[in-house]
Amino acid sequence: MNDLVRQHTALSESDLEWLHLLVSEWQLLSDLSFADLVLWVPTRDGTRYVSVAQMRPNTGPTSYQDDMVGHLVPRGRRPLLDAALDEGRIVREGDPEWREEVPVRVESIPVRREGRVLGVIARNTNLLTVRTPSRLELTYLQSASDLAQMIAAGSFPFPGQQVDMDASPRVGDGLIRLDADGVVQYASPNGLSAYHRLGLASDLVGCHLGQITADLAPSRGPVDEALVKLASGYAPRETEVEGNGGVIQLRAIPLKPKGTRIGSLVLLRDVTELRRRERELITKDATIREIHHRVKNNLQTVAALLRLQARRMDSVRGREALNEAVRRVGSIAIVHETLSQNLDERVEFDEIADRVIAMVAEISPGKVECRRTGRFGILDAEVATPLSMVLTEVLQNALEHAFAQGEQGSVEVSAVRGDPRTDGRLLITVQDDGRGLPEGFDAQRAGNLGLQIVRTLVEGELVGTFDMVRVPEPGRGTRVVLDVPVQGDKRSGDT
């Protein structure tokens, strides 16, 4: 719609926002009318109309098999559009049109904003299945007529009341028609069932809906006056009412076809099962976060015990081995701590990488600067946990073996995230400017525990590749390259 309006019409951005507000609401008018709606806007030169939006009813057969959006019609070909635009009134004159052997009644409703007519809604009703209307259908049609008059007068949609039609109740979910005093004139079967879910044992017709709603909703204090007014339809509002184990969603729409409120529409939906499932999910999320929190606490306890044992060790090698184990456990604890603060099993790994770098940097024998460049991005927990251990081992190896006691240097961790639509890989490079690898060193066959852990995790858990090479430039030290798939594989669960 934005492109069509800006390309063909002279409407301002504020006018376009009004049309968006209208389109967000007009499913209501379409369903109440049992009719298709097409929004026509005059072109910049005033010689044609362009259709910028279309809506089909959920309550009846469509009048248009084809999509009308983008069609251009010369002025004069559809007299009802001309009359509604020029005279600013709802036009219903004329005989039904025949489209593919289907009679269609066409009406035109001017769309007014701040005294100006921006366009015209063509309301097209399929008459093929017309029969004697029921009480429900008569209520729908009368309510649609009131809304059409409000659109023509510029009082509907309500400014500042952007509605999410996917989340708000619809006509078929349940409808209650109120008079000006908030007394129920008609309640659809679904609407009555929703109130029975709240604990109502009688009929609704003739009752004051606001008072009935307040009585059904449990309250520990005085009657909620705001709930009474909302359910009475005095203002356009939405809320949820809970009682007797049921939850219903209410949306009130005041009807002011001639500027004075004559009554209200209340749309309602039974959302009891939906809210129950949401609460179950919230409970499960809270349980998962609590598990991660407890795992983190247990790992920190294990690390503290290992650190305490290391302080009592007389053997230097034994003490170093325990300190290495402390850092390995600590890297896993960092991941679980991050997961305990999230709603899903995905983490922003840049923060974890920075904390791992800071933790490992504490063991530096000299004045070695550790830094990170690039972004790891968001990773699944099953990738983040082994990757944090791999990063710990590689950094620990660089700081222990690349620099002598008191020697200055630097270690840089760089991350390059591939496009998930193409390769979806994560390339990590850890490079130091230390003494470099000894002659004949083979990272794939080296027997120390740290590199064995790296190989096992990268090739087994992460299904990636690992390499460690001497940097050919003089004084550039050692480079470790990790290539890990993070998107589009069975392990990550992405597609």
Side-chain angles (χ1 to χ4, degrees):
M1 186 168 75
N2 288 347
D3 293 340
L4 289 171
V5 169
R6 289 166 181 160
Q7 179 181 355
H8 294 285
T9 78
L11 297 182
S12 65
E13 290 297 319
S14 58
D15 292 335
L16 179 57
E17 286 301 316
W18 182 262
L19 295 184
H20 275 292
L21 191 60
L22 172 66
V23 169
S24 74
E25 291 271 30
W26 71 344
Q27 180 74 63
L28 174 63
L29 177 62
S30 177
D31 290 345
L32 290 172
S33 303
F34 308 97
D36 291 75
L37 305 179
V38 179
L39 178 57
W40 296 93
V41 180
T43 57
R44 190 174 288 105
D45 58 9
T47 62
R48 296 180 295 176
Y49 298 96
V50 58
S51 59
V52 298
Q54 179 179 359
M55 178 58 67
R56 292 184 172 89
N58 294 318
T59 52
T62 183
S63 301
Y64 285 109
Q65 298 300 325
D66 299 326
D67 190 354
M68 295 297 296
V69 175
H71 283 216
L72 290 165
V73 174
R75 184 178 173 87
R77 179 175 295 180
R78 300 195 177 186
L80 296 185
L81 294 182
D82 298 338
L85 183 68
D86 296 338
E87 301 172 21
R89 65 181 179 88
I90 298 176
V91 182
R92 296 190 177 94
E93 296 89 349
D95 297 327
E97 297 180 2
W98 287 83
R99 300 175 187 163
E100 299 180 357
E101 300 183 356
V102 176
V104 177
R105 183 175 64 240
V106 181
E107 303 166 84
S108 295
I109 305 168
V111 178
R112 192 183 302 273
R113 175 178 181 263
E114 297 179 351
R116 296 180 298 112
V117 178
L118 306 182
V120 179
I121 294 176
R123 181 164 55 175
N124 304 269
T125 307
N126 187 324
L127 300 178
L128 192 62
T129 58
V130 170
R131 53 183 173 79
T132 303
S134 64
R135 178 73 187 282
L136 180 144
E137 292 168 333
L138 288 173
T139 303
Y140 277 19
L141 292 172
Q142 181 57 53
S143 302
S145 177
D146 294 335
L147 284 177
Q149 293 182 56
M150 292 171 65
I151 292 174
S155 58
F156 187 83
F158 303 109
Q161 293 288 325
Q162 188 78 31
V163 175
D164 182 359
M165 291 305 299
D166 292 332
S168 294
R170 299 196 179 203
V171 170
D173 296 326
L175 178 142
I176 297 175
R177 174 82 186 225
L178 308 178
D179 64 13
D181 297 322
V183 176
V184 178
Q185 292 180 313
Y186 174 79
S188 71
N190 285 345
L192 185 59
S193 296
Y195 266 82
H196 285 165
R197 188 71 177 263
L198 289 181
L200 180 70
S202 60
D203 196 2
L204 275 173
V205 175
C207 299
H208 189 279
L209 188 66
Q211 191 61 53
I212 285 288
T213 305
D215 291 342
L216 293 173
S219 175
R220 298 179 181 177
V223 174
D224 189 345
E225 295 295 335
L227 179 59
V228 173
K229 290 184 177 180
L230 188 150
S232 301
Y234 288 106
R237 294 288 187 274
E238 284 194 36
T239 192
E240 287 188 3
V241 180
E242 185 170 359
N244 194 41
V247 184
I248 63 172
Q249 186 179 14
L250 293 180
R251 183 189 175 201
I253 304 170
L255 297 175
K256 304 176 181 179
K258 296 182 180 179
T260 303
R261 193 173 70 86
I262 64 169
S264 307
L265 280 181
V266 177
L267 303 180
L268 58 160
R269 175 191 294 167
D270 186 347
V271 293
T272 304
E273 289 303 311
L274 178 63
R275 296 296 176 260
R276 182 184 64 81
R277 292 173 185 174
E278 287 178 351
R279 287 166 184 162
E280 287 180 354
L281 289 175
I282 290 173
T283 301
K284 289 179 180 178
D285 288 339
T287 302
I288 292 172
R289 291 199 299 272
E290 178 63 20
I291 289 172
H292 284 301
H293 182 72
R294 294 189 180 188
V295 170
K296 182 264 297 184
N297 288 344
N298 290 338
L299 290 174
Q300 288 181 337
T301 301
V302 171
L305 292 174
L306 291 174
R307 192 178 296 111
L308 182 63
Q309 184 66 42
R311 291 171 182 169
R312 294 174 175 268
M313 290 284 292
D314 295 329
S315 169
V316 175
R317 293 187 62 184
R319 187 162 54 248
E320 290 178 351
L322 287 176
N323 286 330
E324 288 179 1
V326 168
R327 287 186 286 274
R328 288 165 184 152
V329 173
S331 66
I332 302 174
I334 290 172
V335 176
H336 283 283
E337 181 179 4
T338 305
L339 288 170
S340 69
Q341 301 168 4
N342 291 348
L343 293 177
D344 55 17
E345 292 290 291
R346 296 171 68 83
V347 296
E348 176 63 63
F349 196 79
D350 293 325
E351 178 185 352
I352 293 176
D354 290 340
R355 294 180 63 181
V356 167
I357 290 172
M359 176 183 68
V360 178
E362 295 177 357
I363 69 167
S364 173
K367 300 178 180 179
V368 179
E369 177 190 4
C370 296
R371 61 181 180 272
R372 173 180 63 86
T373 61
R375 294 192 69 252
F376 289 85
I378 297 176
L379 300 177
D380 292 338
E382 55 190 4
V383 175
T385 301
L387 186 58
S388 67
M389 288 192 65
V390 169
L391 191 58
T392 300
E393 295 298 331
V394 172
L395 287 170
Q396 190 168 276
N397 186 75
L399 292 173
E400 285 184 354
H401 301 293
F403 305 99
Q405 186 71 34
E407 185 179 1
Q408 292 186 346
S410 65
V411 177
E412 179 177 328
V413 179
S414 67
V416 178
R417 187 74 175 263
D419 189 341
R421 294 170 298 180
T422 54
D423 56 356
R425 303 186 74 83
L426 176 62
L427 184 65
I428 306 166
T429 304
V430 180
Q431 182 166 323
D432 64 67
D433 56 0
R435 68 186 70 173
L437 296 173
E439 292 294 334
F441 181 84
D442 185 353
Q444 302 302 326
R445 297 183 180 179
N448 70 70
L449 178 60
L451 290 181
Q452 287 182 6
I453 292 174
V454 170
R455 285 198 302 269
T456 301
L457 292 177
V458 172
E459 297 173 2
E461 293 289 324
L462 298 174
V463 199
T465 61
F466 156 71
D467 196 14
M468 176 184 287
V469 296
R470 174 191 290 271
V471 180
E473 297 87 350
R476 295 298 296 169
T478 303
R479 178 186 299 138
V480 177
V481 180
L482 308 171
D483 189 354
V484 178
V486 292
Q487 292 286 345
D489 54 62
K490 296 180 180 179
R491 173 181 40 74
S492 67
D494 294 329
T495 56

